[in-house]
Amino acid sequence: MERVMIIGSGGAGKSTLARELGRRTGLPVFHLDAVYWKPGWEPTPREEWAQRVEELAGGPRWIIDGNYSNTMDDRLKHADTIIFLDYSKWMNLYGIVKRRIIYRNKVRPDMNEGCKERIDWTFIKWVWKFEKEKAPSLREKLQGIAQKEMYHFRNRKELRAWLEGL
């Protein structure tokens, strides 16, 4: 486990898991949200974004959390371990509400400076639809990948049991 890719819906706990795995393994952690969003929620230009992700994914050791489908194939190509947090929409919605309460008017540890926690209807709808619209294609994509460690967790209990076994 040298290059770990963590994917799943918003609110699933990708960044929390990334930090915990980083603590346990000593691998450097990169949160794609912090890489993509510049201070004040300014998006990174497309070419700069693709180049930055390629540089990170091409590195020798890392944990990268986040979806960003336009760079997913690059990360999949380089990853040796893939963790998919494939939780129900209710669990993910709970996660984003909890996160909003904890980080209200603050910047989360997995975000860039000047990006205070926020929640809007577009994001809520994306999380609501993820289980039905995004997760099936991710499952399909992951089935076609060989020679990589693959972990597919359907709930936090499964994830906790796996973490305890590390």
Side-chain angles (χ1 to χ4, degrees):
M1 189 181 319
E2 295 289 314
R3 294 174 170 177
V4 182
M5 179 176 164
I6 303 172
I7 56 176
S9 175
K14 297 180 298 294
S15 297
T16 301
L17 174 59
R19 284 191 302 275
E20 178 61 18
L21 276 180
R23 187 186 67 75
R24 290 174 183 234
T25 64
L27 293 170
V29 176
F30 302 99
H31 305 289
L32 288 184
D33 280 343
V35 176
Y36 180 76
W37 294 107
K38 295 177 184 255
W41 292 100
E42 190 67 36
T44 297
R46 189 183 224 41
E47 286 181 26
E48 180 185 335
W49 166 243
Q51 181 180 352
R52 180 69 177 126
V53 173
E54 177 57 37
E55 287 169 6
L56 291 174
R61 302 177 73 235
W62 46 259
I63 297 169
I64 297 175
D65 78 86
N67 292 316
Y68 293 89
S69 58
N70 60 345
T71 63
M72 189 168 293
D73 288 340
D74 243 0
R75 289 175 283 130
L76 284 170
K77 176 178 67 175
H78 292 287
D80 63 21
T81 305
I82 300 160
I83 300 172
F84 181 20
L85 303 181
D86 192 8
Y87 301 161
S88 74
K89 64 184 163 197
W90 297 107
M91 193 175 297
N92 296 327
L93 286 170
Y94 169 79
I96 64 170
V97 169
K98 179 181 173 186
R99 180 171 76 195
R100 174 69 167 110
I101 291 167
I102 291 170
Y103 294 105
R104 187 170 197 266
N105 293 320
K106 297 177 190 169
V107 176
R108 296 189 328 248
D110 54 304
M111 290 300 296
N112 210 337
E113 85 178 49
C115 295
K116 289 184 180 178
E117 180 60 16
R118 67 180 187 185
I119 193 169
D120 60 24
W121 284 111
T122 302
F123 183 60
I124 292 169
K125 286 190 283 186
W126 183 82
V127 170
W128 179 261
K129 294 177 179 182
F130 187 90
E131 182 180 21
K132 188 172 183 175
E133 294 182 2
K134 301 288 183 192
S137 62
L138 281 174
R139 287 185 208 110
E140 187 177 318
K141 182 182 281 264
L142 296 178
Q143 282 179 348
I145 296 173
Q147 300 177 337
K148 297 187 188 276
E149 289 288 321
M150 209 65 99
Y151 299 97
H152 183 180
F153 299 109
R154 299 296 301 205
N155 57 59
R156 288 184 173 95
K157 184 178 178 181
E158 290 177 358
L159 176 62
R160 278 192 301 276
W162 178 74
L163 281 170
E164 287 173 14
L166 282 180

